[in-house]
Amino acid sequence: MGAGYEGRLFIDGEFREARSGNRYDVINPADESVVAAAADAGPEDVADAVTAARRVADETTWATDHAFRRHCLEQFHQALRKDVEELRTIVTSEAGVCTAVMGTHVDAMIEGMDFFNDLATSFPWERELGPYELLGMRSNRRVRYQPYGVVGAITPWNAPFMTAIWKIHHSLAAGNAVVLKSAPDTPLTAARMVQLIAEHTDIPAGAVNTISSADKAIAGDALTGDPRVDLYHFTGSPGVGERVQQRAAIGSRKVVLELGGKSANVLLPDADLDSSCAMGTFMCMATSGQGCALPTRMVVHESIYDDVVERLTANIGNMPWGDPTEPNNIVGPIIRAEQVDRMEGLVNRAKQAGAKVPVGGKRGDRDRGFWYEPTLVVDVDENAEIAQNEVFGPVLTVVRYEGDDDEAVRVANNSRYGLSAYVQSADEERAWAVAGRLNAGTVNINNSFYLSPDGPFGGWGISGVGVEHGVEGFAEYLRIKTIASPC
């Protein structure tokens, strides 16, 4: 297992190979070296994992012993804190995430666990409604919140620690058992997390199970086709999210979907251009542009358009990129060759349609690995392919608008996506007025960012169903029961 990384499946408290014995290589996108080998699960392995989770949900006190759950989750929290450097290394090795942004991907996510650890015991699991009379019967009513049982969690490759800790930790905090299927490219982070669970916590065997598979469809279809799973929690593309939702409809299982984005960053005429352009560049390029909520579509008023393009050209032209382990680099590798091919096609077709590319617009000049230079695409029509589709790479698209704030809102909302949005204005009241009209689950004004343990995060439109984080995100893992008894 290259570098000594654990790559086996974790099922019912034990690491094991896939029943087939098959493995596949996990590739470092920066240099195409083999990081480790991972077990290649088949449908039979997924079924084993669901069986283990089902047993915990149905036959143990995990769902009802809130104090014990909190104790276990605090053990997990401490283990992650002590292992943070190893986790950071794994995330960079398998996902290519730059060291410069690792604090957001790993450190902040670990520190934010306190919020959900506390909810394990502080959440109002029951509440009294008081008496009510109907049909001559006077009844006391009590509302009870209970976990769904078994959560089928599916995570993407772009943020393997961030998305895995959300789904594992939040599922467990609410009292569920979980089967987590990692993206084929990035199974090692979750394997390390459950290794810590096995070695340092009292979390019962079967409460957490992890699956890796070279073909995402094989294991994914096995998981979403298993009627014993009660809730699916998926982060990924809208297309796959729709398939998860369709398959979950059989048996009327619940879904929470955090899908893609083409987030508008609206620069009103009075925006501070220094901070707006600096922030807009960094936020778009962070994680090599491979983030669903990043501001990849800048909507700029005509009166400041030329000035903004000049600043963005300089910023992106000087954007440090390359080896993700170098602390100054912001843009690292792209996850795989197919992704580079896809973004190259999008940018080339944009140029053919009349857009201009002042900087970037080509593959990175490296002997090994998968690279695309930080790129600026300007003079883009609001309805153009590159303005309407998620690139998922270091590409900032700029759209000009004319007119007042109503027009800014219209152009920003001209998208099927609605995950996040950004507004830049020197007038905070004006910015709030625009923010309130944007069709997005989160909106960021000037130098602010929504991401926090207590702030709900979810998409509108094709960007998702339900929310993560906050009390609202915790409640997504719970179903509601009302019990009546005679007064």
Side-chain angles (χ1 to χ4, degrees):
M1 291 180 196
Y5 294 143
E6 179 60 73
R8 293 174 293 176
L9 312 177
F10 186 69
I11 297 175
D12 206 6
E14 295 182 350
F15 283 102
R16 61 168 240 202
E17 297 293 348
R19 286 186 180 271
S20 66
N22 293 338
R23 297 182 133 218
Y24 69 97
D25 290 337
V26 179
I27 304 301
N28 186 325
D31 59 13
E32 299 177 66
S33 63
V34 176
V35 182
D40 188 2
E44 63 278 10
D45 300 300
V46 175
D48 290 344
V50 175
T51 297
R54 192 75 262 167
R55 191 198 70 252
V56 171
D58 295 340
E59 301 176 16
T60 75
T61 60
W62 179 250
T64 55
D65 194 340
H66 310 305
F68 176 66
R69 287 209 312 276
R70 179 167 182 169
H71 156 76
C72 292
L73 294 175
E74 288 175 345
Q75 290 177 319
F76 184 33
H77 194 182
Q78 291 307 313
L80 290 169
R81 279 176 167 155
K82 293 177 181 177
D83 200 61
V84 64
E85 290 303 323
E86 180 76 355
L87 290 162
R88 289 165 65 105
T89 299
I90 295 172
V91 171
T92 296
S93 297
E94 67 174 353
V97 176
C98 287
T99 299
V101 298
M102 194 60 71
T104 301
H105 276 253
V106 177
D107 301 57
M109 298 302 105
I110 294 174
E111 292 312 307
M113 289 174 69
D114 281 332
F115 180 79
F116 286 89
N117 289 347
D118 179 69
L119 280 176
T121 53
S122 68
F123 186 80
W125 295 97
E126 290 189 356
R127 61 189 175 93
E128 299 286 349
L129 294 180
Y132 185 80
E133 185 170 334
L134 184 65
L135 300 176
M137 294 177 285
R138 189 169 176 81
S139 306
N140 282 320
R141 286 89 30 71
R142 180 180 297 175
V143 176
R144 176 177 292 176
Y145 293 86
Q146 297 178 202
Y148 271 84
V150 174
V151 175
I154 303 175
T155 53
W157 49 260
N158 63 310
F161 181 85
M162 183 185 296
T163 54
I165 191 61
W166 293 352
K167 297 191 193 311
I168 289 175
H169 184 221
H170 303 174
S171 294
L172 295 177
N176 297 283
V178 59
V179 177
L180 181 131
K181 189 197 82 67
S182 300
D185 307 275
T186 54
L188 305 178
T189 300
R192 180 59 183 171
M193 292 166 66
V194 292
Q195 191 173 14
L196 297 175
I197 285 174
E199 295 175 358
H200 299 289
T201 80
D202 297 318
I203 294 173
V208 183
N209 307 271
T210 56
I211 295 291
S212 55
S213 177
D215 186 324
K216 63 183 180 182
I218 291 174
D221 281 357
L223 185 59
T224 55
D226 195 317
R228 298 172 297 167
V229 178
D230 304 297
L231 161 65
Y232 292 102
H233 214 291
F234 171 79
T235 300
S237 70
V240 178
E242 289 176 0
R243 178 166 176 79
V244 171
Q245 194 166 21
Q246 288 166 353
R247 291 176 66 78
I250 299 173
S252 300
R253 276 89 54 77
K254 180 179 177 177
V255 297
V256 178
L257 307 174
E258 192 268 281
L259 307 176
K262 190 68 177 179
S263 301
N265 185 7
V266 179
L267 270 63
L268 298 176
D270 63 347
D272 181 323
L273 298 191
D274 286 336
S275 63
S276 296
C277 292
M279 186 281 294
T281 302
F282 174 80
M283 290 296 290
C284 175
M285 298 294 165
T287 316
S288 307
Q290 298 174 122
C292 51
L294 303 179
T296 57
R297 180 171 55 109
M298 188 174 282
V299 177
V300 182
H301 191 266
E302 60 174 343
S303 65
I304 56 174
Y305 184 85
D306 291 341
D307 199 351
V308 166
V309 169
E310 182 179 351
R311 291 166 188 259
L312 294 177
T313 301
N315 289 350
I316 292 175
N318 291 308
M319 176 68 61
W321 66 276
D323 182 354
T325 65
E326 289 292 330
N328 292 327
N329 286 336
I330 303 300
V331 174
I334 307 306
I335 191 66
R336 69 179 84 89
E338 293 84 354
Q339 288 292 113
V340 179
D341 293 343
R342 180 179 175 275
M343 68 183 65
E344 183 178 53
L346 282 163
V347 173
N348 288 344
R349 288 192 296 275
K351 289 191 289 186
Q352 293 167 6
K356 298 182 177 62
V357 181
V359 63
K362 61 182 183 295
R363 293 169 184 256
D365 184 15
R366 295 288 190 275
D367 293 334
R368 303 287 292 172
F370 314 119
W371 303 91
Y372 198 80
E373 290 187 6
T375 295
L376 178 65
V377 184
V378 304
D379 297 350
V380 175
D381 183 86
E382 64 175 287
N383 296 306
E385 178 191 30
I386 202 166
Q388 291 292 328
N389 291 278
E390 191 172 37
V391 178
F392 227 65
V395 178
L396 176 58
T397 298
V398 184
V399 175
R400 182 200 316 255
Y401 79 93
E402 302 175 5
D404 57 14
D405 293 358
D406 290 344
E407 179 66 2
V409 170
R410 187 196 66 77
V411 173
N413 285 342
N414 180 18
S415 174
R416 297 177 302 156
Y417 294 98
L419 190 58
S420 197
Y422 302 71
V423 182
Q424 315 298 322
S425 173
D427 183 339
E428 186 167 330
E429 184 176 346
R430 181 183 189 183
W432 273 89
V434 170
R437 298 168 61 196
L438 295 177
N439 296 335
T442 59
V443 184
N444 311 277
I445 295 173
N446 294 330
N447 293 324
S448 64
F449 195 49
Y450 71 89
L451 189 58
S452 59
D454 58 349
F457 164 49
W460 292 19
I462 66 168
S463 289
V465 176
V467 297
E468 296 195 81
H469 296 180
V471 175
E472 294 85 353
F474 184 78
E476 295 279 15
Y477 290 93
L478 301 171
R479 42 184 153 200
I480 302 171
K481 176 184 294 182
T482 300
I483 302 173
S485 63
C487 283

